[in-house]
Amino acid sequence: FDFRALQSQVDVKGRTAGLFAAQNGDKKCFDLVATDIDALTARDNEGRTIAMIAAIHGHTDWFEPLTQDGYFGVAGENNVFVGSMLIFDLEQLAVRDNDGDSILQHAQAFDQFEILDILVRHLQAIVKNQTALIEAGTEPVDKHRLIRDTANGLLTDAGFL
């Protein structure tokens, strides 16, 4: 079965199979259709990402891996987030929708407090880890600053700093 062909089809709202899976909380289906970078970085007509859709609909189980060793406080450098986990790379978490809202702002707006807590703790740990690398002079310092500042920006915009 060609999952890539399935993922390339969109409805009138710009939703792909991956976005539908996120809306319905069907992680197994998402893992099947998330076969390439286009599927993993899909956005609907409102600019919402797969992670945003999962947050809006309260699918906490999708976010629980961010609390585990190997992912918690990791920004995605060194290719930690592979396969369907790529939706949690900091670069993806930093995406804004067409209205300029982040995943944190969506979790707040839809009262998804458990997801919000996971994301805030994860981003705070990224800031702490990157700051330690910067202070130790770990190269590339500029990259660590960018990662730290991106996580800080998300926290600040959502009112957590």
Side-chain angles (χ1 to χ4, degrees):
F1 188 78
D2 185 4
F3 290 109
R4 190 183 324 233
L6 176 64
Q7 180 62 19
S8 67
Q9 297 181 25
V10 297
D11 70 0
V12 295
K13 294 182 179 182
R15 293 178 297 195
T16 62
L19 289 163
F20 271 115
Q23 180 176 331
N24 295 318
D26 192 336
K27 188 75 168 78
K28 185 174 180 180
C29 176
F30 176 69
D31 289 341
L32 288 172
V33 299
T35 57
D36 60 33
I37 194 69
D38 292 334
L40 293 164
T41 60
R43 296 171 74 171
D44 66 12
N45 290 348
E46 295 179 45
R48 296 177 301 188
T49 66
I50 290 164
M52 285 178 187
I53 298 292
I56 288 167
H57 291 279
H59 302 302
T60 307
D61 58 313
W62 283 47
F63 295 86
E64 287 173 352
L66 290 178
T67 66
Q68 300 170 2
D69 286 342
Y71 294 117
F72 180 71
V74 176
E77 68 274 25
N78 304 324
N79 300 315
V80 171
F81 294 100
V82 296
S84 63
M85 285 298 293
L86 183 68
I87 64 172
F88 298 117
D89 184 282
L90 181 62
E91 187 174 303
Q92 287 301 303
L93 294 178
V95 169
R96 307 294 180 132
D97 68 11
N98 296 350
D99 294 325
D101 293 328
S102 72
I103 189 168
L104 291 177
Q105 290 162 315
H106 282 290
Q108 283 178 312
F110 288 89
D111 297 330
Q112 302 299 345
F113 300 116
E114 192 172 349
I115 292 170
L116 187 60
D117 180 62
I118 290 169
L119 290 169
V120 167
R121 285 187 293 116
H122 175 65
L123 291 168
Q124 288 171 334
I126 289 173
V127 170
K128 179 181 176 185
N129 294 341
Q130 296 301 316
T131 299
L133 292 170
I134 293 164
E135 290 172 353
T138 306
E139 294 293 337
V141 172
D142 289 343
K143 181 178 179 180
H144 297 301
R145 278 192 188 107
L146 177 62
I147 293 168
R148 180 202 59 198
D149 293 349
T150 300
N152 259 335
L154 287 166
L155 291 164
T156 299
D157 290 350
F160 290 96
L161 283 181

